[in-house]
Amino acid sequence: MFVVVPSPFISYIMQCYDEYLRKCLEKAAEVMGISTWGIPPDGAGSYNDEHVDTDFFCYCGDYNGLVVTKAKLAFGDTLISVKLSGIYWWYETNGHAAEMTAGYYNPVNRDGYAPIASLLKKHEAALNLTCVDMSTVEEQKDFPEAKVDDPEGLVCQVV
């Protein structure tokens, strides 16, 4: 059996101070019956704090595995499957602007998906990448202006 962790729990660490996302998180936590999950993490600092000056985001801080750990507690022995959006547009550029904008630090000189895969493996969670069924040739045929889109390249990197 696979369980997909609701998206507010996956993204709350980075965006929990946005008024609307915070309300969404609180509502999802109430629906799950665990209202404490609707509260931002301790030690995350404030908007202008440097990450190294916080307990939560510093090197080896609490961010490292918190969401998956909480999901494992909630779902027990059920296999956790984390859905990762395949941001493949502009993949064939050095800066990987679409991925960077989405929060994936995956420039041409760094494997941004390896830490994600490592974390999921550590917690015996599965990775569900959304673009595995796409073809680079078909994508570029349907959208000729998108010569740098490469869903297959992204899938090969993640695998």
Side-chain angles (χ1 to χ4, degrees), residues 16-153:
C16 62
Y17 296 104
D18 174 89
E19 175 185 355
Y20 301 103
L21 289 174
R22 174 88 183 258
K23 286 180 182 177
C24 180
L25 171 67
E26 290 171 357
K27 185 176 180 180
E30 285 179 29
V31 167
M32 295 290 293
I34 310 172
S35 60
T36 57
W37 284 12
I39 301 169
D42 291 332
S46 63
Y47 184 78
N48 289 320
D49 286 339
E50 292 287 327
H51 68 283
V52 294
D53 296 330
T54 70
D55 293 332
F56 190 81
F57 292 109
C58 67
Y59 181 73
C60 290
D62 292 340
Y63 74 91
N64 191 8
L66 176 68
V67 175
V68 180
T69 300
K70 295 287 188 184
K72 293 286 282 182
L73 285 172
F75 298 115
D77 293 333
T78 304
L79 177 63
I80 302 297
S81 176
V82 176
K83 186 175 185 178
L84 188 66
S85 296
I87 310 293
Y88 58 86
W89 42 101
W90 299 334
Y91 183 80
E92 288 297 322
T93 64
N94 286 340
H96 292 235
E99 290 169 288
M100 294 281 208
T101 303
Y104 302 135
Y105 183 55
N106 188 49
V108 72
N109 61 348
R110 180 182 185 275
D111 185 352
Y113 297 95
I116 296 169
S118 176
L119 176 72
L120 295 176
K121 181 179 179 182
K122 174 181 158 187
H123 292 282
E124 298 177 347
L127 173 64
N128 178 359
L129 187 64
T130 61
C131 66
V132 296
D133 60 334
M134 299 182 74
S135 161
T136 299
V137 172
E138 289 299 314
E139 186 68 20
Q140 292 176 357
K141 184 177 92 177
D142 293 342
F143 303 99
E145 69 281 0
K147 294 181 174 101
V148 293
D149 292 1
D150 188 5
E152 291 178 47

